[in-house]
Amino acid sequence: MTQPADPLVEGEAESIPDRATQSIAEQAAQSIPDRHVQLRAAGVSLIVHIPEVGLPAFMHWGSDPGPLDRQQLEQLALAEGAPPAANGVDEPRAVSIMPEPWTGWTGAPGLDGHRAWRGWSPRFTVTSATSVNPVPGDGARGGTLELEARDDVAELQLDLHIELTPTGLVVMQAHVTNLGADPYTLGSVSLGLPVPTRADELLDLAGRWAKERVPQRRPFAVGTHLREGRRGRTGSDAATVLVAGEQSFGFDRGEAWGMHVAFSGNHQVRAERVASGERILLGGELLLPGEVELARGERYSTPRVFGTHGVGLDALAGRFHDHLRSRPHHPGRDRPVVMNVWEAVYFTHDLDRITALADAAAQVGVERFVLDDGWFGGRRDDTAGLGDWTISDVVWGDGRFRRLVDHVAALGMEFGLWFEPEMVNEDSDLARAHPEWLMQVDGRLPVESRFQQVLDLSHPGAFEHVRSQIVALVRDYDIGFIKWDHNRDLVDAGSTRTGRAGVHEQTLAVYRLLDEIKRQCPGLEIESCSSGGSRVDLEILERTDRVWASDTIDAHERQQIQRWTAQLLPPELVGSHVGSQRSHTTGRMLDLSFRAATALFGHFGIEWDLTAATDAERAELAAWVRYYKQLRGLLHTGTVVRRDLEGGDLWLNGVISTDRAEALYLVTVRERHITWPVGRVLLPGLDPDRSYRVTAGGPSAFRAASNHWADPAWWRDGVTLPGSVLVGVGIAIPAQDPDHAALIHVAALR
Ligand code: DGJ
């Protein structure tokens, strides 16, 4: 299994290998017996060609043709090499995974850098290659290929890690080492995944605050589709997964290839189609001027770049889900029902009020109670206090904080606490004591955002300040969960320590801080939140246990946000709360059944002032909590399916257990359809050879209340049908207004 990027360290001095006595070609001849390597896993084949000069290229990344022996691989190399392009270079080469301009490649270079303006067009040769588990070993389990390449003229070494995980994901990472005496300035290092010419359409995600991960599509035209993240965080508008696929590819159809850059700082992904026919997805970190300058022996590591292939977007997502679930540190225990107090109290912290909320939470079955922003320093609103991570005397003094923590524990709930560790208000003791720890450019502070500035964690003192304050609180109060927030873009994020742009170092420092806190607080779970869902990527998830997908709890919006967050993350990693009837962010009024059914398809929680809810509402909510607890085993391990029905007016989301014995589907009307009732709905993912009992889902006492104005005949007492009928013929669903839920539960007969 791939390891989290070890930790993308700039400035790691290493001894430089002395190979002066051996030419690059001699070394290569000795250490690379096989120039074609095939890795296979979960229906995917990755076939890599290591040329005698230049960097490796993928001969094939896609569906698995079965194991190929050396002779067959050589024949394939002959068969698939394109003829020279008209008016192109005389010796055409397959575009490599880090495309090099010297080969005649006219797209963006994989490595952009120079040594005082020389060494700007490296020409690498692979000097060693080690593969683990290539075909014909145990071919179904994936494997790795570690390559070392050098350019003795540019005086650079490149180490490449190429992996096919057991779940069929490609993972690539590159490390660039300066072998020369003078510094080497890096502009960018991108890794590329080639896609075939039948990948005619592109899809990626966009978005904004409270409306994250909105899909956008376009033809894969000649030129570059470039998505840059320059916010110093992953971003609410991040591409997240850039997909190229066959025309009209959808959740269940069309071959497709996707890329994700696992990084929480500045980054870029691009889809490039050049005149000579190649199409490639490229991704890496976006470096600001001067951020990475390698002294002799220093090494820069790229983020990990992931590739996912399959037929349909669900298959692409499924590979990420399977991969995440296979990690040893994937949250193993049942995902506890959360109560977060933010939308219930905002900054109005008061022991009696919050204690009453805890009582109400415990009554409906909450298992984790989270105190949000407002408990520390001078934080009475959002203008002050960030950076001072000690309990506020004003609201929580005289032992009141301890009383709350003890009360929550006595109610049988775990206690969670909010932090925003990378941020500082200018009105804080920390900023007054250490103005030099605020990120800035040439003595000029950045423009404020939410009245806050960014704390430069690359200063050892700043790092230590935050680390020690957080660890002390976690230990003193037995805190089981941290909501780790990050509420502004990094604008003009320079470091007073180096005088240079500091986003790269800040991002690595955040990873170190999270790693350190996790190490010192065993069992602590952390949520990645950033103005809602602005930090959702696979590198932050190596150190955190769920994401807060959005600041909008409006279930209509959440349906879309969760549907597309699922392109990367399985439901158990995506916090999803039941809010109040009127959404605080959109003003939309939604029934409890729809709000709760939407939250079911994530890590379920509540963010609502239950002390103001009616008894009937609390009783219904408690029933939904019981239902979630009953089904979370299925929802948090099963296969996710998504479908657009009736021209997109009807959405189906479902989770099917891996043994296909049980499933839960949610059908919602997004828009009132032009004809009514809608047609039969197919239930994907079931075993055609089994018989299933199909019943209306949701807590039984509240099924009738879900605003169906006409139900099909089977709705009351259920129906028993073969899987082949459910997947191929379909069933009728209740006629319902938009933004109401029809849950369908399916269980195999023994
Ligand atoms: C932004 C988060 O997304 C909210 O849930 C809340 O924690 C606020 N910050 C607190 O300031």
Side-chain angles (χ1 to χ4, degrees), residues 25 35 52 74 163 167 304 395 408 463 632 726 733:
R35 291 201 167 265
E52 281 173 16
E74 281 167 9
E163 178 179 358
T167 61
R304 291 176 304 156
V395 279
V408 167
F463 185 97
R632 62 186 159 189
L726 297 171
I733 58 151

Side-chain angles (χ1 to χ4, degrees), residues 163-474:
E163 178 179 358
L164 188 67
T165 67
T167 61
L169 279 180
V170 176
V171 186
M172 299 190 293
Q173 189 177 23
H175 312 272
V176 180
T177 307
N178 178 14
L179 305 178
D182 299 325
Y184 193 87
T185 305
L186 273 182
S188 64
V189 183
S190 304
L191 294 171
L193 291 164
V195 298
T197 52
R198 62 185 183 280
D200 257 342
E201 279 181 15
L202 296 174
L203 176 143
D204 60 4
L205 306 183
R208 62 175 171 87
W209 175 78
K211 196 167 183 74
E212 294 86 346
R213 286 168 284 287
V214 182
Q216 53 177 8
R217 295 183 88 111
R218 69 193 64 222
F220 199 157
V222 171
T224 302
H225 170 60
L226 173 64
R227 298 295 310 282
E228 291 190 331
R230 291 181 178 270
R231 297 174 179 280
R233 53 175 161 171
T234 322
S236 53
D237 55 349
T240 310
V241 183
L242 170 61
V243 182
E246 290 180 326
Q247 213 156 48
S248 308
F249 66 92
F251 290 124
D252 61 339
R253 62 181 186 280
E255 198 178 3
W257 296 259
M259 167 182 273
H260 169 73
V261 174
F263 200 56
S264 320
N266 290 340
H267 63 282
Q268 46 98 11
V269 288
R270 60 172 70 219
E272 207 154 9
R273 177 177 172 190
V274 296
S276 45
E278 293 95 345
R279 299 175 194 208
I280 189 166
L281 308 178
L282 278 155
E285 182 178 1
L286 192 157
L287 294 171
L288 295 174
E291 269 191 326
V292 176
E293 193 181 57
L294 300 175
R296 180 181 170 82
E298 285 185 338
R299 182 169 100 143
Y300 165 80
S301 299
T302 67
R304 291 176 304 156
V305 172
F306 284 80
T308 178
H309 166 266
V311 174
L313 288 162
D314 282 351
L316 270 64
R319 291 197 193 281
F320 285 121
H321 299 182
D322 292 347
H323 167 71
L324 289 163
R325 286 171 172 171
S326 71
R327 302 168 308 157
H329 53 287
H330 190 69
R333 63 178 168 123
D334 281 347
R335 299 293 73 214
V337 177
V338 173
M339 153 68 83
N340 179 297
V341 306
W342 178 243
E343 287 208 355
V345 300
Y346 293 104
F347 287 106
T348 322
H349 283 207
D350 169 83
L351 177 62
D352 291 343
R353 179 149 180 213
I354 294 183
T355 303
L357 203 50
D359 292 336
Q363 271 164 24
V364 298
V366 166
E367 298 162 307
R368 171 184 284 167
F369 187 81
V370 182
L371 186 65
D372 210 278
D373 195 354
W375 56 267
F376 53 92
R379 188 75 164 175
R380 299 288 67 77
D381 56 30
D382 56 6
T383 61
L386 287 177
D388 302 335
W389 303 110
T390 51
I391 288 153
S392 157
D393 279 344
V394 180
V395 279
W396 291 109
D398 299 328
R400 276 173 290 196
F401 192 78
R402 171 67 67 192
R403 289 214 288 286
L404 175 69
V405 171
D406 290 348
H407 188 77
V408 167
L411 290 167
M413 297 186 291
E414 179 185 290
F415 188 72
L417 197 59
W418 180 96
F419 289 87
E420 197 175 357
E422 298 138 82
M423 298 294 160
V424 56
N425 286 115
E426 287 180 44
D427 183 359
S428 65
D429 293 344
L430 181 65
R432 281 183 282 274
H434 287 287
E436 78 285 6
W437 288 352
L438 274 55
M439 300 199 91
Q440 54 195 276
V441 176
D442 296 332
R444 294 186 294 210
L445 279 179
V447 56
E448 283 189 333
S449 177
R450 208 191 186 208
F451 312 103
Q452 65 198 54
Q453 298 287 4
V454 181
L455 184 67
D456 182 356
L457 290 171
S458 78
H459 277 282
F463 185 97
E464 185 50 27
H465 167 87
V466 179
R467 186 208 59 78
S468 58
Q469 291 198 331
I470 294 179
V471 169
L473 282 163
V474 169

Side-chain angles (χ1 to χ4, degrees), residues 17-31 127 148 150 152:
D18 178 14
R19 301 200 185 88
T21 49
Q22 238 186 350
S23 78
I24 287 184
E26 279 166 353
Q27 282 174 39
Q30 283 168 14
S31 56
T127 48
E148 183 199 91
R150 270 196 292 148
D152 284 349

Side-chain angles (χ1 to χ4, degrees), residues 524-713:
L524 175 72
E525 289 199 8
I526 300 181
E527 172 174 57
S528 170
C529 171
S530 179
S531 313
S534 289
R535 193 143 68 180
V536 175
D537 65 77
L538 291 193
E539 201 55 50
I540 203 73
L541 272 159
E542 285 302 320
R543 300 152 171 95
T544 53
D545 303 280
R546 68 174 221 168
V547 301
W548 181 228
S550 179
D551 266 351
T552 183
I553 310 177
D554 172 329
H556 175 88
E557 300 291 330
R558 272 291 176 141
Q559 286 280 332
Q560 172 252 302
I561 293 163
Q562 288 172 203
R563 173 166 260 227
W564 288 99
T565 302
Q567 198 52 47
L568 188 66
L569 303 186
E572 65 272 22
L573 295 181
V574 182
S576 184
H577 295 174
V578 180
S580 50
Q581 187 182 25
R582 181 184 288 280
S583 160
H584 290 203
T585 41
T586 64
R588 202 179 260 127
M589 299 278 287
L590 294 167
D591 278 7
L592 178 51
S593 59
F594 182 60
R595 279 140 57 210
T598 302
L600 272 185
F601 287 80
H603 176 183
F604 190 96
I606 299 162
E607 195 160 334
W608 172 15
D609 183 359
L610 290 185
T611 61
T614 64
D615 288 348
E617 283 174 322
R618 281 200 294 268
E620 182 174 351
L621 183 60
W624 280 102
V625 167
R626 284 194 296 277
Y627 191 69
Y628 163 75
K629 287 179 180 172
Q630 216 179 303
L631 287 199
R632 62 186 159 189
L634 158 70
L635 293 165
H636 292 169
T637 57
T639 306
V640 171
V641 291
R642 299 159 294 176
R643 295 289 181 272
D644 282 330
L645 309 172
E646 306 287 334
D649 288 344
L650 199 69
W651 281 9
L652 175 137
N653 294 326
V655 179
I656 302 111
S657 64
T658 47
D659 63 2
R660 299 199 283 177
E662 191 182 6
L664 187 73
Y665 300 92
L666 173 70
V667 184
T668 57
V669 176
R670 293 293 289 178
E671 294 287 341
R672 298 176 64 247
H673 194 53
I674 189 167
T675 59
W676 200 261
V678 294
R680 287 192 298 260
V681 167
L682 307 181
L683 300 181
L686 299 173
D687 183 348
D689 297 328
R690 285 166 103 159
S691 261
Y692 291 94
R693 182 79 191 142
V694 185
T695 50
S700 47
F702 297 96
R703 267 168 215 154
S706 50
N707 261 37
H708 304 150
W709 40 272
D711 292 334

